Amino acid sequence: MKILITGGSGFIGSYLAEYLLKSGHYVVILDNLSTGRLANIKNIYRHKNLEVHIDTIFNRDLMDELVKGCDQIYHLAAAVGVRFIVDNPVQTIETNVGGSEVLLKIANKYKKKILIASTSEVYGKSDELPFKEDAMRVYGPTTIRRWSYAESKAIDEFLALAYLHEKKLPVVIARLFNTVGPRQSGQYGMVVPRFVQQALLDHPITVYGDGKQSRCFGYVGDIVEAIVKLMDNEKCIGQIYNIGTSEEITIYDLAKKVKELTNSKSQIKLIPYEEAYEEGFEDMQRRIPDLSKAGRDINYKPKVSLTRILQEIIEYYKK
Ligand code: UDP
């Protein structure tokens, strides 16, 4: 098959591209390198079944040509990372809403199956844990820029489902929970690569807030396998799936674990949210996926533990 990945030079996109190439597919990457990097795809760059377009999703002529020529689309191109979103709210909203709008319209023109990479952020600060796909979404005020990410991704979900309902476009939605692994950059806010780099340099490990907030960190390889299964299963059309892991850790304990695994001399430093992000910043206290739907429909079960993931990331940064 010929498969288009928007955001294919991003962290998750690059692993997906490798996986699909290994499975024998022809892969077309579209990426504007806003947060993606060519270094992410350096191992596959010269693969005979890979085509890379460094361009924007707003180039409608190019998108028309790429979508027309492919069999499936993974839509991963988006503004991501809490740091990036707080600093670039216009780009966040325009890319995440407008970019998906362009792509869905063209996907519908040629009736190409499309997987939308959504996010656990859409649950917002709901405390109905673990999050089920049909749960309530709870957001803060529009003056807090971080919420623009959740809103923009929720609009993508609405639009994709609207295309299915009105136009019979085959769509599937994956709500990705915190996904980590080698190659992820800490530059846009993501905590795990930041802590690992800080620890390896014996710099202070910067825990925001009181560190009692928790997350579940899934391995990028597990996540990629899952989204391919979602795409390839007819049963998943029109459905939303949580994809991640339910192994929970507080951010303070994560800092301790990273310090331990790296034998670091770093101090663990608490930094108020206002200083780290923006005035009035709101964080999610806990974020745990209910994975039973993905378990039932695609037999999904995360395989890699947090300790193993951290060891792999530490090795990557040491090199
Ligand atoms: N965080 C932190 N120090 C950092 C970066 C992030 O304590 O240097 C915290 C952040 O406030 C959040 C958690 O780590 O509570 C996860 O942050 P990330 O941006 O990786 O993901 P998300 O907030 O989207 O879950």
Side-chain angles (χ1 to χ4, degrees), residues 69-88:
C70 76
D71 301 296
Q72 294 179 334
I73 308 160
Y74 288 88
H75 180 35
L76 271 58
V80 292
V82 180
R83 169 87 278 147
F84 186 87
I85 276 133
V86 169
D87 292 342
N88 303 278

Side-chain angles (χ1 to χ4, degrees), residues 200 312-319:
L200 287 174
E312 223 185 90
I313 297 172
I314 291 164
E315 280 317 303
Y316 170 79
Y317 274 112
K318 274 188 181 163
K319 276 190 211 136

Side-chain angles (χ1 to χ4, degrees), residues 3-117:
I3 302 177
L4 172 62
I5 309 175
T6 70
S9 295
F11 162 57
I12 301 176
S14 65
Y15 279 91
L16 176 63
E18 278 173 14
Y19 185 89
L20 293 172
L21 286 170
K22 268 198 199 121
S23 313
H25 298 295
Y26 187 95
V27 173
V28 181
I29 286 179
L30 180 280
D31 203 301
N32 69 355
L33 301 184
S34 65
T35 57
R37 292 180 300 175
L38 283 179
N40 287 340
I41 52 168
K42 71 172 193 305
N43 298 339
I44 51 171
Y45 200 75
R46 299 198 186 283
H47 197 292
K48 64 178 186 355
N49 288 341
L50 178 74
E51 189 179 311
V52 180
H53 297 264
I54 304 305
D55 212 313
T56 148
I57 201 165
F58 292 103
N59 181 345
R60 285 166 200 259
D61 291 340
L62 175 65
M63 292 316 295
D64 195 282
E65 187 190 314
L66 298 184
V67 169
K68 188 178 178 184
C70 76
D71 301 296
Q72 294 179 334
I73 308 160
Y74 288 88
H75 180 35
L76 271 58
V80 292
V82 180
R83 169 87 278 147
F84 186 87
I85 276 133
V86 169
D87 292 342
N88 303 278
V90 172
Q91 195 184 337
T92 298
I93 298 164
E94 287 186 354
T95 306
N96 295 4
V97 179
S100 303
E101 192 183 351
V102 168
L103 189 62
L104 278 162
K105 202 180 270 300
I106 301 173
N108 181 58
K109 180 173 165 191
Y110 298 109
K111 289 285 183 276
K112 297 295 164 83
K113 190 169 185 182
I114 180 165
L115 178 139
I116 304 286

